[in-house]
């Protein structure tokens, strides 16, 4: 149904050139002050796309985002203490 997506943080040196990163994937955020971009792309073509991004002269470094690997399902193992704090 939905393609598996992966996120990358791209550190750049030229703000105007970095606005053209949307050709390589979905550009989620651009930071002008810290000079990085957050972008998402399909996981099946991500490796090839990263190689193409590294060839660009304004790209300094590319880091993979580990957001999809973080556990987001939590368990509640502590007892409910709301009855002790009643009025």
């Amino acid at each position: 149904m939905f393609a598996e997506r992966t996120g990358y943080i791209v550190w750049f040196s030229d703000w105007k050139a970095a606005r053209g990163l949307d050709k390589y994937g979905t550009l989620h955020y651009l930071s002008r002050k810290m000079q990085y971009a957050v972008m998402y792309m399909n996981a099946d073509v991500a490796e090839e796309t990263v190689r193409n991004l590294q060839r660009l002269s304004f790209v300094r470094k590319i880091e993979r985002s580990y957001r999809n690997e973080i556990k987001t399902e939590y368990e509640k193992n502590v007892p409910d203490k709301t009855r002790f704090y009643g009025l």
Side-chain angles (χ1 to χ4, degrees):
M1 188 161 133
F2 291 110
E4 184 70 27
R5 308 277 284 169
T6 182
Y8 285 92
I9 293 91
V10 180
W11 298 90
F12 56 84
S13 57
D14 185 16
W15 165 258
K16 286 187 179 180
R19 290 187 297 182
L21 286 174
D22 57 349
K23 293 184 250 180
Y24 298 97
T26 304
L27 196 58
H28 181 70
Y29 179 74
L30 273 170
S31 172
R32 176 175 262 177
K33 183 178 179 182
M34 294 184 63
Q35 295 188 337
Y36 75 93
V38 177
M39 58 186 311
Y40 291 93
M41 59 191 80
N42 291 340
D44 54 348
V45 295
E47 190 174 316
E48 180 184 340
T49 306
V50 169
R51 272 190 260 123
N52 291 337
L53 283 172
Q54 288 175 339
R55 292 183 188 145
L56 299 174
S57 61
F58 61 91
V59 174
R60 286 189 279 160
K61 182 171 63 169
I62 299 174
E63 298 176 4
R64 191 168 64 93
S65 174
Y66 295 102
R67 183 174 184 194
N68 58 351
E69 297 174 11
I70 295 174
K71 180 182 165 187
T72 56
E73 297 173 6
Y74 305 105
E75 297 175 2
K76 186 175 180 181
N77 292 335
V78 294
D80 188 21
K81 295 184 180 180
T82 56
R83 62 186 175 113
F84 295 117
Y85 300 111
L87 297 175

